[in-house]
Amino acid sequence: MIELSHLHKTFRVARRNAGMGEAVRALFRREYTEIHALDDISFRIGDGEMVGYIGPNGAGKSSTIKVMSGILTPDSGSCVIDGCVPWRDRRAHVANIGVVFGQRSQLWWDVPVIDSFDLIRDIYRVEAHQYRADLDELCDLLELGEILRTPTRQLSLGQRMRCEIAASLIHRPRILFLDEPTIGLDAVSKLAVRDFIRRINRERGTTVILTTHDMQDIEALTERIILIGRGKILLDGALDALKAKHSALRRIAVCFAPGTTSPAARPLPQGIALLSADEGRAEFGVDTALHSVSSAIECLTRDIDVRDLSVTGQSTDELVISLYEEFRI
Amino acid sequence: MKLYLRYLAIHFKSQMQYKTSFFLTLIGQFLTAFSTFLGIWVMFTRFNTVKGFTYTEVSLCYAVVLMAFSLAETFFRGFDTFPRMIGNGEFDRILVRPRSPVFQVLGSKIDFTRLGRLLHAAVIFAWAIPRSGVNWNAANIATLCGMILAGSLVFAGLFLLYAGICFFTLDGLEVMNIFTDGSREFGRYPLSVYGDAVLRFLTFVVPIALFLYYPFLTLLGKSDSLLWRICPLFALLFLVPCYLVWRVGLLHYRSTGS
């Protein structure tokens, strides 16, 4: 159980203008601006939940993760995770969590992966028999077999990420923080990683908190999303409900014979907006609360030699973009 | 302790991955240290004594500081490369593991190539010990060991201090090398050679003299003060402020998170 209430964290960041003179001046007198990285953050995550924590760069995602993993001490507010205050009972707390930073490795660079795993086992004081059983299972699920004997530096990014995730699970953490776990991975590796995360969540009941910019991750993994922007929680709810609410929008793409008048040229009724127009192709957004799809098609294709037509709903990417726009972050 | 041996093993394996580089560095370290030693030798072929110390006596002093420094550099190097660790976020990883940060930083880098210097120090010891005219009874042997041990811990303290300061500056401070590399260079000669002011500084501020100079005098029989013999123990007090700076730095880091 994770419970955050009214977390605040302010950083002082030195600012200066460009230029040599300014640089020299900054040596002696600095101007600071305060950045509210966390501004009254509260939420609660139950055991075994899978939560997507999203927001644009610099919104405060990493700061929140850092507070929850005991790296960062907030200015005020409380955070209790399984009865521990992360920054106060750091060692007791971190024994129960696993953290994957997608951009940084926790494996030793020059030795075979299995050596890193063994060392991590000793760091967390994992029992030998539990370690063996878990390792077998992890290797099986993540298909690590051959990779284990390869030095980390020779692994591909996808292989490395699978090892990173396995490494974070060696001590059987109850909570797993994943900070952009699929960044830079190819499609196959992404699927493997997602599949595995889902499995760990289901079979071990591990609570998973995921930050990512990849909306397919969110879609594939999480039922609940928390949206943060400029240090504030803007939205916290089920992904499905959110989609239902925002799915009134449809996209209609019309391909028509070149040379004929484009439907983009005609006056459009309210609720239908032109998104893009090319030679022979135009794309419209339709608010289905105002127009049914069939009436919109009827209106858009009247007197036109239609070659092709497609209707699509909103993707999670677009959903998030429209959320960002809605909250102006 | 078992975990520390594991760290040792993994670093050894890592460094064995680059065998040629490992041995070349090892030899390089040995030769660099050796050239310094040649410098001393050349000086003594012109002057027979420096401030009443003979060539063999000076060699012994040099071997002590070199041995202490290379031990510290081999095993406490994690603190020496600490700014990089903060810079690339590796330190965050340390904080999410249930072990003491100091221990983990120690384990993060163990540089066996520094053993080249250690070897060099051992060679000088082998040469100087029988020729130094010191009466090698139990007390003197214990004093010598104490000097080396306390010495490496003082250097470790300097590294720790340096790392503690890095929490604030987030960058390496070259000025700290005055104390680490500088002390090593200073230690080539018995410290009284440099005059009273330097000696006082190296006694009360950076306590190099406590493990190097005063007990050395008792070894040579130039003094029979018991206090001077146990001076290396006082040198260990230096670790206290160093550790405090580290603690304060750590708190600062965890509240700024940069």
Side-chain angles (χ1 to χ4, degrees):
Chain A
M1 169 83 111
I2 300 173
E3 211 170 350
L4 272 68
S5 60
H6 308 294
L7 277 186
H8 286 270
K9 182 78 209 174
T10 308
F11 295 122
R12 266 161 37 114
V13 179
R15 286 279 156 86
R16 66 174 169 81
N17 298 326
M20 200 58 199
E22 287 289 332
V24 173
R25 195 171 311 153
L27 262 182
F28 302 103
R29 219 184 81 229
R30 288 206 187 177
E31 282 165 22
Y32 289 97
T33 32
E34 299 213 320
I35 292 185
H36 298 276
L38 301 178
D39 190 357
D40 202 29
I41 298 281
S42 306
F43 57 77
R44 172 195 269 262
I45 295 172
D47 285 339
E49 261 195 273
M50 255 216 272
V51 177
Y53 195 48
I54 56 173
N57 289 327
K61 292 191 304 278
S62 318
S63 297
T64 321
I65 298 280
K66 279 185 176 176
V67 168
M68 290 195 285
S69 50
I71 297 172
L72 195 63
T73 315
D75 296 336
S76 65
S78 80
C79 167
V80 181
I81 299 179
D82 285 334
C84 286
V85 175
W87 57 91
R88 216 168 292 146
D89 324 307
R90 188 187 68 82
R91 275 160 81 166
H93 170 65
V94 295
N96 282 320
I97 63 167
V99 189
V100 175
F101 297 113
Q103 317 249 39
R104 305 177 204 142
S105 180
Q106 60 171 314
L107 304 168
W108 280 260
W109 196 239
D110 288 318
V111 291
V113 177
I114 185 71
D115 284 340
S116 294
F117 283 6
D118 284 350
L119 187 56
I120 291 170
R121 171 197 63 195
D122 291 328
I123 291 175
Y124 285 96
R125 302 184 170 94
V126 179
E127 298 284 337
H129 62 273
Q130 188 206 319
Y131 172 67
R132 258 192 306 277
D134 274 12
L135 193 61
D136 283 347
E137 192 193 341
L138 289 172
C139 289
D140 210 34
L141 292 175
L142 287 164
E143 291 166 39
L144 298 182
E146 275 308 296
I147 302 174
L148 278 186
R149 277 172 289 158
T150 317
T152 310
R153 70 185 137 88
Q154 288 172 357
L155 298 180
S156 73
L157 195 56
Q159 290 172 328
R160 213 196 74 205
M161 189 51 68
R162 281 186 277 153
C163 293
E164 297 284 345
I165 294 176
S168 311
L169 289 168
I170 285 173
H171 60 292
R172 285 191 159 260
R174 291 167 38 77
I175 301 168
L176 184 61
F177 295 104
L178 299 165
D179 195 7
E180 307 195 27
T182 57
I183 193 161
L185 300 192
D186 63 57
V188 180
S189 306
K190 271 186 189 174
L191 286 181
V193 165
R194 280 181 203 141
D195 216 40
F196 176 74
I197 296 171
R198 211 177 305 133
R199 217 165 157 149
I200 284 293
N201 170 259
R202 209 170 40 222
E203 288 173 8
R204 291 191 182 176
T206 310
T207 310
V208 178
I209 292 147
L210 175 82
T211 77
T212 182
H213 291 292
D214 186 329
M215 290 309 143
Q216 286 171 320
D217 282 351
I218 296 287
E219 194 144 16
L221 292 173
T222 63
E223 276 148 22
R224 174 179 167 197
I225 60 171
I226 297 175
L227 176 70
I228 182 175
R230 282 180 296 186
K232 287 188 168 68
I233 299 277
L234 300 173
L235 201 106
D236 180 353
L239 183 60
D240 285 343
L242 203 64
K243 271 179 138 176
K245 197 175 128 206
H246 283 79
S247 68
L249 223 60
R250 287 288 181 286
R251 215 174 247 264
I252 298 181
V254 184
C255 292
F256 47 89
T260 57
T261 8
S262 164
R266 66 181 57 172
L268 294 166
Q270 210 200 345
I272 301 181
L274 178 70
L275 297 176
S276 66
D278 276 325
E279 182 66 29
R281 188 173 188 281
E283 210 175 319
F284 302 89
V286 178
D287 187 347
T288 51
L290 295 173
H291 301 273
S292 71
V293 174
S294 61
S295 71
I297 291 175
E298 206 273 326
C299 157
L300 290 171
T301 57
R302 203 183 309 133
D303 311 323
I304 283 175
D305 180 8
V306 176
R307 292 277 171 88
D308 195 6
L309 184 131
S310 69
V311 184
T312 44
Q314 204 182 22
S315 70
T316 314
D317 267 320
E318 288 164 320
L319 171 67
V320 168
I321 291 168
S322 66
L323 284 176
Y324 286 4
E325 278 167 3
E326 189 182 328
F327 292 108
R328 296 196 187 85
I329 50 176
Chain B
M1 195 60 213
K2 190 182 148 222
L3 181 60
Y4 189 72
L5 292 178
R6 288 275 179 181
Y7 273 122
L8 272 183
I10 210 160
H11 286 294
F12 191 69
K13 283 184 213 163
S14 296
Q15 283 163 37
M16 283 303 117
Q17 289 275 318
Y18 307 98
K19 286 191 194 69
T20 319
S21 158
F22 177 80
F23 285 113
L24 285 179
T25 318
L26 200 68
I27 294 168
Q29 293 278 337
F30 181 84
L31 289 179
T32 321
F34 190 70
S35 64
T36 320
F37 185 64
L38 274 184
I40 301 177
W41 179 73
V42 166
M43 234 188 68
F44 272 95
T45 53
R46 300 184 165 224
F47 318 98
N48 278 323
T49 57
V50 169
K51 280 247 180 151
F53 293 99
T54 66
Y55 176 49
T56 41
E57 285 167 353
V58 170
S59 311
L60 194 63
C61 175
Y62 175 59
V64 168
V65 76
L66 192 65
M67 183 75 109
F69 186 77
S70 45
L71 276 174
E73 241 197 344
T74 307
F75 297 103
F76 302 99
R77 193 153 166 75
F79 291 103
D80 202 17
T81 54
F82 193 67
R84 207 171 351 147
M85 195 163 200
I86 291 191
N88 65 17
E90 233 182 289
F91 192 68
D92 287 350
R93 175 54 66 187
I94 280 182
L95 288 177
V96 299
R97 284 189 169 142
R99 297 285 186 146
S100 105
V102 169
F103 177 74
Q104 289 187 73
V105 175
L106 281 186
S108 73
K109 190 136 175 69
I110 300 163
D111 193 346
F112 289 102
T113 56
R114 304 290 149 165
L115 293 176
R117 277 195 191 145
L118 206 66
L119 183 69
H120 174 61
V123 169
I124 304 178
F125 267 128
W127 183 83
I129 281 176
R131 290 174 180 77
S132 59
V134 174
N135 171 22
W136 291 109
N137 56 24
N140 278 344
I141 292 174
T143 307
L144 185 70
C145 293
M147 287 165 72
I148 295 170
L149 266 178
S152 43
L153 287 172
V154 167
F155 283 120
L158 282 169
F159 288 146
L160 189 64
L161 183 67
Y162 168 75
I165 295 173
C166 286
F167 279 123
F168 296 96
T169 59
L170 301 179
D171 200 1
L173 286 179
E174 282 301 317
V175 69
M176 283 299 290
N177 290 345
I178 297 174
F179 299 116
T180 50
D181 295 331
S183 305
R184 190 192 64 212
E185 296 302 313
F186 264 114
R188 279 194 279 172
Y189 303 101
L191 299 171
S192 56
V193 184
Y194 304 105
D196 277 352
V198 174
L199 185 61
R200 227 169 289 139
F201 179 80
L202 293 177
T203 305
F204 297 108
V205 185
V206 184
I208 307 292
L210 289 184
F211 73 81
L212 196 60
Y213 180 64
Y214 303 112
F216 186 62
L217 293 183
T218 62
L219 270 191
L220 299 182
K222 290 182 198 286
S223 155
D224 50 7
S225 155
L226 181 65
L227 181 70
W228 284 19
R229 195 180 275 281
I230 60 164
C231 263
L233 292 176
F234 296 116
L236 299 184
L237 288 175
F238 181 61
L239 289 173
V240 176
C242 294
Y243 183 69
L244 286 178
V245 170
W246 160 268
R247 289 296 306 181
V248 172
L250 184 60
L251 278 177
H252 174 80
Y253 178 82
R254 291 182 64 192
S255 71
T256 56
S258 35

